[in-house]
Amino acid sequence: MSPSKKREACTVPKVRVATTSLAGCFGCHMSFLDMDERIVGLLEHVEFSRSPINDIKHCEPCDIGLIEGALCNADNVHVLKEFRENCKILIAVGACAINGGVPAMRNNFTLAECLEEAFLDEIGVDNPQIPNDVEIPLLLSKVHPIHEVVKVDYYLPGCPPPADAFVKILTDLLEGKEPSLPKDMLHYD
Amino acid sequence: MSAKMITIDGTEVPFEAGQTIMDAALAADIYIPHLCHKPGLSPHGSCKLCTVDVDGRAVSACTLPAAEGQKIENNTPALNEVRKTITQMLFVEGNHLCPSCEKSGDCTLQAVGYHLGMLDGHFPQFYPRRAVDASHPTLMLDRDRCIMCELCVRASREIDGKDVFAISGRGTGRQLIVNSATGKLADSDIETDDLAAHICPVGAILIKDHGYEVPIGRRTFDLHSVAETDLEEIILKKTVHHDQDDESVEKEGGMYSA
């Protein structure tokens, strides 16, 4: 690239992307990073707002928000709403965000049963008590996919979605195209 | 007399008296999406995925007899969109958490989702809480994955001659039950070799101690789309049929003639 072209490229405003993990395992973020050296090329067009990969505490007005994980507690709901208010395009990433995923298996039990098992009845529990500090967000009675609380623009299935799928959906959006996923990148597991 | 013909998506397809549209399509290697249909078992008409337009009317291909001159639309964007919606309804109605299911990659429901390009469940999740039956020494039942296609019901009744399964209840309260005095699988006559133990298109009826045995990338639907697999199965049956001696052909004919 010639020096003049390079300067020109720098003046084009970058697309702002925010990411977060709600009731996620961070696996979708790891899969995102699995794009390996392609992230260098991506960073020429994209800059990150709030994300676990930086120190920004709140989501700023953004073009794209990537949400990993389902909703399992009150804080998840607040964060999700902050993302929805600030992101033009919100993408549900991974099985959890889409249908609750494996964490939604706790919906087969009552919340009390889950807490009692983990904090009172489990073998090796010292000083059994259910945590009850205002600092700790309360759990929701059930785990929910994110589309049950906010409008979702696109879905990226997989547990996690393949790195190529992240590249594909972001490339499509950067090029102003409607994102589409080829059949070989579509899986739910 | 020339063979009687129907037209599917503009292609002329021959049929014999007594064949349904689905029978004729499968014989002509044309894939009509379906979940509750299996050649050799009586048609069921519950999944509605095989809905096609016949002369402008929406009908189930698995139950409507083929008739001379029918103009059938099957593989159209509109029909596939409706099929996707039906598939989404099946997904949210159960707990289809593919990442932890031992049938993932070998599940017809999932493969149909891929075939139709389904990305999400669209509707709110039901999150049903139905009992797991792990009473049997070699089989288990996860009712939250059951799509109530009744393939196991029909296989057990029509092929195994045991009548182990039934669907009970009404509306969204319907679920798969076991016809034993206790309602438990352990107290039924079902055995691992029964067709009913293997016919489940999803992860509802599972063989114990067998799961995650096939490497990812080599499972049924990693290698083939649901359309290919479905038609391959038919082609395989035709080949088997052809190769067998008269006696077994007769037996086979009994099994696979609807």
Side-chain angles (χ1 to χ4, degrees), chain A residues 99 107-108 148 183 188-189, chain B residues 104 113-114 118 125 127 219:
Chain A
N99 70 2
N107 294 350
N108 279 359
E148 290 184 13
K183 283 272 156 71
Y188 309 146
D189 58 0
Chain B
S104 192
Y114 296 158
M118 186 189 96
Q125 293 282 144
Y127 292 132
R219 302 167 302 181

Side-chain angles (χ1 to χ4, degrees), chain A residues 18-187:
Chain A
T19 79
T20 192
S21 177
L22 305 174
C25 70
F26 279 93
C28 291
H29 276 84
M30 295 312 294
S31 195
F32 175 83
L33 295 176
D34 262 348
M35 73 173 71
D36 297 331
E37 73 278 7
R38 284 176 289 179
I39 200 162
V40 177
L42 185 70
L43 287 172
E44 285 179 16
H45 307 284
V46 160
E47 61 185 0
F48 284 93
S49 176
R50 172 178 170 164
S51 168
I53 61 173
N54 62 35
D55 277 341
I56 301 170
K57 305 298 182 211
H58 286 282
C59 184
E60 298 147 338
C62 276
D63 299 289
I64 300 168
L66 299 172
I67 311 282
E68 161 195 335
L71 296 162
C72 82
N73 66 32
D75 183 60
N76 294 156
V77 178
H78 289 302
V79 172
L80 178 61
K81 286 185 169 171
E82 180 184 288
F83 269 69
R84 180 67 278 183
E85 280 160 19
N86 284 286
C87 300
K88 287 181 199 154
I89 293 169
L90 204 65
I91 307 176
V93 176
C96 299
I98 291 171
N99 70 2
V102 171
M105 288 173 114
R106 87 148 150 97
N107 294 350
N108 279 359
F109 306 91
T110 65
L111 184 55
E113 282 171 331
C114 296
L115 291 169
E116 283 162 15
E117 175 66 23
F119 295 106
L120 304 182
D121 304 334
E122 180 62 291
I123 298 163
V125 172
D126 278 346
N127 184 19
Q129 55 179 313
I130 291 171
N132 187 27
D133 191 298
V134 289
E135 290 276 320
I136 303 170
L138 289 172
L139 292 172
L140 308 176
S141 61
K142 282 198 171 188
V143 174
H144 293 274
I146 66 168
H147 77 87
E148 290 184 13
V149 172
V150 298
K151 180 183 179 290
V152 172
D153 298 296
Y154 299 108
Y155 296 86
L156 197 52
C159 185
D164 287 346
F166 282 98
V167 173
K168 177 67 168 65
I169 199 167
L170 289 174
T171 308
D172 283 350
L173 286 170
L174 287 171
E175 289 172 357
K177 290 195 294 200
E178 188 69 14
S180 70
L181 218 51
K183 283 272 156 71
D184 63 338
M185 292 183 202
L186 174 59
H187 60 77

Side-chain angles (χ1 to χ4, degrees), chain B residues 35-54:
Chain B
L35 284 167
C36 73
H37 184 73
K38 203 77 161 174
L41 297 174
S42 55
H44 197 241
S46 63
C47 76
K48 294 292 163 215
L49 274 179
C50 73
T51 300
V52 291
D53 277 340
V54 179

Side-chain angles (χ1 to χ4, degrees), chain B residues 4-253:
Chain B
K4 293 181 183 177
M5 291 286 184
I6 54 175
T7 312
I8 302 179
D9 293 331
T11 306
E12 291 238 296
V13 173
F15 71 96
E16 290 160 23
Q19 277 190 319
T20 59
I21 293 171
M22 179 69 83
D23 295 332
L26 287 174
D29 296 343
I30 292 173
Y31 176 66
I32 301 177
H34 59 270
L35 284 167
C36 73
H37 184 73
K38 203 77 161 174
L41 297 174
S42 55
H44 197 241
S46 63
C47 76
K48 294 292 163 215
L49 274 179
C50 73
T51 300
V52 291
D53 277 340
V54 179
D55 301 318
R57 270 187 71 201
V59 298
S60 299
C62 71
T63 54
L64 191 78
E68 179 68 41
Q70 281 169 338
K71 295 248 181 313
I72 297 155
E73 287 194 12
N74 167 41
N75 190 19
T76 69
L79 280 168
N80 285 330
E81 196 59 32
V82 171
R83 289 166 180 158
K84 188 169 85 180
T85 304
I86 293 169
T87 310
Q88 288 171 320
M89 289 162 80
L90 287 170
F91 264 85
V92 300
E93 197 265 353
N95 293 333
H96 296 285
L97 307 171
C98 303
S100 69
C101 180
E102 42 277 68
K103 208 62 183 288
S104 192
D106 292 313
C107 169
T108 316
L109 176 68
Q110 185 189 56
V112 163
Y114 296 158
H115 176 77
L116 298 168
M118 186 189 96
L119 299 176
D120 70 309
H122 183 79
F123 302 102
Q125 293 282 144
F126 277 37
Y127 292 132
R129 291 169 63 177
R130 308 185 193 118
V132 167
D133 183 346
S135 63
H136 195 276
T138 57
L139 296 169
M140 66 170 285
L141 207 56
D142 185 337
R143 291 184 170 90
D144 292 342
R145 295 172 184 157
C146 175
I147 55 168
M148 283 165 254
C149 64
E150 293 199 22
L151 279 172
C152 61
V153 176
R154 285 173 282 155
S156 186
R157 187 183 299 151
E158 298 171 18
I159 309 294
D160 305 332
K162 293 186 178 177
D163 202 17
V164 169
F165 295 106
I167 298 288
S168 172
R170 288 181 178 278
T172 51
R174 275 157 54 92
Q175 62 170 326
L176 185 65
I177 60 159
V178 177
N179 289 328
S180 63
T182 56
K184 292 284 181 196
L185 212 49
D187 299 314
S188 74
D189 301 334
I190 196 165
E191 288 165 88
T192 319
D193 291 338
D194 292 353
L195 181 61
H198 296 274
I199 202 165
C200 182
V202 295
I205 301 176
L206 296 166
I207 312 289
K208 282 186 180 177
D209 299 325
H210 292 275
Y212 312 111
E213 285 176 331
V214 182
I216 290 173
R218 295 183 50 193
R219 302 167 302 181
T220 310
F221 298 111
D222 293 335
L223 298 168
H224 304 283
S225 77
V226 68
E228 291 166 350
T229 311
D230 188 83
L231 295 172
E232 226 169 57
E233 199 178 312
I234 302 300
I235 292 160
L236 197 69
K237 269 183 198 138
K238 278 186 204 160
T239 321
V240 170
H241 200 108
H242 194 252
D243 289 345
Q244 277 166 338
D245 56 35
D246 284 353
E247 200 183 323
S248 21
V249 168
E250 210 169 75
K251 195 174 161 218
E252 192 81 355

